[in-house]
Every structure is written in C-alpha cells, then in structure tokens.
Amino acid sequence: MTTGYVWHERYAWHDTGTHAGLLPAGGAVQPFRNFESPESKTRFAGLVEVSGLLDHLVRVPARPASEEDLLRVHTPEYVARIRALSEAGGGDAGDGQSPFGPGSYEIARLAAGGTIAATEAVLTGRADNAYALVRPPGHHAKRDSGMGYCLFANIAVAVEWARANHGVRRVAVVDYDVHHGNGTQSAFYEDPDVLTVSIHQEHLFPQHSGTFAETGEGAGAGAALNIPLPAGCGNGAYTEAFRRVVAPAVRAFAPELIMVASGFDACAADPLGRMTVTAAGYRALTRQLMDVADEVCQGRLVMSHEGGYSPVYVPFCGLAVLETLSGYETGVGDPFDDIWAPSPQHPLTPWQDDVLKRAEHVARGLGLLAPSRPI
C-alpha cells in the first residue's frame, strides 16, 4: 500500500497556554500545561521517523485551507472572530476550554488544509490511503463556535472540499475518538449523503451528546449513528462494535470515500478517557476500516488526527495505525503490551454486549444493517 502522511512542525506551535490540564492557572491552580499540548503529536511524529516508517510513507505537504474552504462549513463571523483574536494575541474558541495563542488562526488553517491535502492525495491516486497528523483537532468545532480544543472542523472542511472539487457525493465519517464527534455530526445532520458514525465513551464529552437517539434530521434522517459505550471498554468491545455495527453500516451506506477521526484517547493511558484500548486494538480497527474501504470505495481511506493526551502511549498507537495502513512493519512493537494486554477489561462483557445489541437495533432501524433472522 502507498500511504500519504501529513505533518508540519507548526502544528506543535499551536499554544494552548499554561492550564493545569483543563483549568487556567491562577490562585491555587499552579501553572502546568494543557492536556491538549504538543507532546503527544511531536512524539508520534518523532517515532514515525526514528522507527524508519517515514521512509516508507509518501510525504504530503500541508497547505493552509483557504477562507473559501472554511466558509463551506463555518460562518463568516466565526472565522473572522478567530482571526481577530489570533492577531490580538489569542483567546478562546468559544466554550471556555479551547484556548489558543497568537498565530493559531494560521495554524488551524494549516490543520484543516493538511486534512484536505491528505484527502487530495487519495482522490488523485497519489496515495492509496493517508494519515494527517494535524493539530489543533477539529471534530468538536461547530459552524459558529469552537469547542473541546477544536478551532476549525478539519474533517468536515475536507469533506466539503472533496465534494466541491472532486465530484465526490457520498462520504462516511467514522470517529473512534473517546469523545463524541458532535461537531462533525452537526455539520452533516441534515445531509443524506454523509454518514457520521461515532463510537465514544457515554456521557463523557460533551456530556449529553452522542446518544442512540441522535440519528439525523430532515433529509439527513438516518445518516447519523452513535455508539455510546460504557466506561471500561477494551479491545474486545471496540473490535466487536466495529465488526457488528460500524463496518456493516459503512458497507451498507456505500460511500465513495471514508474519512476517520483518529483520536487515541480511548487508549489505556489517557488522562481524559476511561477506556483501555491498546495499540493492538487500534491496529485491528484500522484493518477493519481498510477492508471495508477495499470493498466499497477502492480503498480510499483518509485519517485525520484528533485527540489522545498520553505523550508516552499515543506514539505507539499511532505507529500501529500507520504500519497497518502502509503494510510496513517496523519491528518496534508496543513496549507497553506486556502490561496492558493481560487486562481483564479486554474481553467483551455481558453489559457491553447489551450496548452493542442496542446499537445493532438502532442501525437496523436506520436501514444500515440487514434485518435480523427469526430464530
């Protein structure tokens, strides 16, 4: 396989300040760093190079998204506000938890544009699939507001770019970040030609978003599917969810392109999630997505980086995904595997299975799964 790869040093220059995780420093809150900091991304990029995998990828240069690109998804007022705040030294994207510094408007444009560049590489045949290691993330950003560290909706912007410039009509977006992909969902909630599938920890963030009841509205009714998993799920629950619900739903939708919101905050070491997925789990999910892409859209699969806040473990999860996409094994492996692989949280439990049965029921009602056979 030929795998495109986007990374730009300026992604690491997006400044989220001296927050103590989520809270701004001040009073009794000692300055530290935001959970959304450069480390997990720079260390991921570093391991891609040190492992030798970089030599087996197609480097795709990042480019800034144009204002026209952004305005296909965001309101002019919102784009202008982010630009003005960035030029004035920084601010917050909208929810009080998405700080940014000077120059972040340009970096956020580069993140959206990096996802566009990866998409273009796949659509033009330069690469079979692609991974855009971009920052800031995008799947929480709404039309008129940023949220959850996200400034611009990177994947939504790339989807609309592909539709405007390459005649792509039907797109499936799969989001395995531990948080609900509410921004991406909202961008296409009334659009019948974009299927959004989000598998996430139930009631985590946004707390009341991503329920089974959210299935699209108007012309888009039936084109949104959510799988809210209980805390504590490991490789078994995730791989079964993909096998039983995600992959069949995408297959039934028959898109021309599959986009993936690739967040590694469902990993066992993440400070914000309460899941236990390992690098081997992410490898298995990627394999399933590739198989579906091969079946329905000539392998056209584009991943764009989202969350994941463990600087020590995100690199190994990301490397596993990129090895699977490219078909090249570096031999690095997962040095944490001996610790987390034996965890009793990996086998599918009865209560997790109950959630998957409900997800199957919802997907079946949307016409995304074949009717169950009578016993």
Side-chain angles (χ1 to χ4, degrees):
M1 301 296 293
T2 303
T3 297
Y5 173 67
V6 177
W7 165 253
H8 195 291
E9 178 62 23
R10 288 203 69 191
Y11 295 142
W13 294 13
H14 170 55
D15 184 2
T16 52
T18 58
H19 284 49
L22 293 171
L23 299 177
V29 180
Q30 182 179 353
F32 187 52
R33 63 172 177 266
N34 203 306
F35 282 126
E36 204 299 294
S37 65
E39 279 78 10
S40 63
K41 275 66 70 173
T42 57
R43 289 168 66 96
F44 179 0
L47 186 59
V48 169
E49 181 173 357
V50 170
S51 68
L53 182 57
L54 185 60
D55 297 331
H56 299 271
L57 304 175
V58 175
R59 290 301 301 267
V60 177
R63 65 172 188 264
S66 68
E67 188 167 293
E68 180 184 8
D69 295 331
L70 297 179
L71 293 178
R72 292 192 188 100
V73 174
H74 297 288
T75 64
E77 295 78 13
Y78 175 63
V79 173
R81 184 171 72 82
I82 296 299
R83 180 172 60 243
L85 286 172
S86 176
E87 291 172 352
D92 189 273
D95 67 343
Q97 296 183 9
S98 304
F100 61 90
S104 281
Y105 169 72
E106 288 78 14
I107 299 172
R109 285 180 57 201
L110 195 65
T115 305
I116 288 175
T119 304
E120 182 177 46
V122 170
L123 292 177
T124 59
R126 185 182 175 200
D128 297 310
N129 52 49
Y131 195 102
L133 178 49
V134 299
R135 179 175 179 262
H139 72 148
H140 295 307
K142 298 181 287 187
R143 291 189 184 277
D144 59 356
S145 178
M147 186 180 190
Y149 306 140
C150 302
L151 273 64
F152 298 134
N154 302 328
I155 284 182
V157 169
V159 168
E160 293 293 20
W161 177 88
R163 298 167 89 181
N165 291 275
H166 281 268
V168 173
R169 187 171 69 89
R170 289 173 71 81
V171 180
V173 181
V174 176
D175 188 330
Y176 58 62
D177 189 283
V178 80
H179 306 104
H180 178 227
N182 63 301
T184 310
Q185 176 180 283
S186 69
F188 303 110
Y189 207 55
E190 298 182 14
D191 190 330
D193 292 323
V194 178
L195 173 68
T196 59
V197 182
S198 179
I199 178 170
H200 49 269
Q201 183 179 323
E202 183 180 27
H203 298 316
L204 183 58
F205 183 88
Q207 288 185 359
H208 304 292
S209 180
T211 66
F212 284 120
E214 297 170 31
T215 57
E217 290 181 348
L225 176 63
N226 287 289
I227 309 171
L229 295 176
C233 289
N235 293 347
Y238 271 82
T239 56
E240 276 296 288
F242 268 64
R243 184 185 69 82
R244 290 163 51 177
V245 186
V246 178
V250 173
R251 189 179 295 114
F253 188 75
E256 300 157 65
L257 171 69
I258 299 173
M259 304 286 292
V260 179
S262 177
F264 296 118
D265 35 15
C267 81
D270 197 84
L272 292 182
R274 294 297 178 265
M275 301 301 201
T276 61
V277 180
T278 68
Y282 285 111
R283 189 185 298 274
L285 302 187
T286 304
R287 183 69 261 169
Q288 290 197 51
L289 289 167
M290 291 176 68
D291 289 344
V292 174
D294 287 341
E295 290 180 47
V296 301
C297 57
Q298 299 175 302
R300 294 194 290 193
L301 179 68
V302 180
M303 294 187 163
S304 184
H305 196 82
E306 295 287 353
Y309 307 102
S310 170
V312 299
Y313 199 44
V314 163
F316 296 101
C317 296
L319 189 71
V321 168
L322 274 170
E323 285 183 344
T324 307
L325 288 173
S326 64
Y328 180 80
E329 297 286 339
T330 64
V332 168
D334 177 5
F336 294 89
D337 195 55
D338 288 344
I339 301 171
W340 287 319
S343 170
Q345 291 183 298
H346 289 307
L348 182 71
T349 65
W351 58 90
Q352 293 165 359
D353 185 57
D354 287 342
V355 173
L356 297 190
K357 287 176 181 175
R358 186 172 178 190
E360 289 174 311
H361 175 76
V362 171
R364 193 169 289 117
L366 301 178
L368 295 171
L369 283 185
S372 58
R373 296 179 180 179
I375 298 176

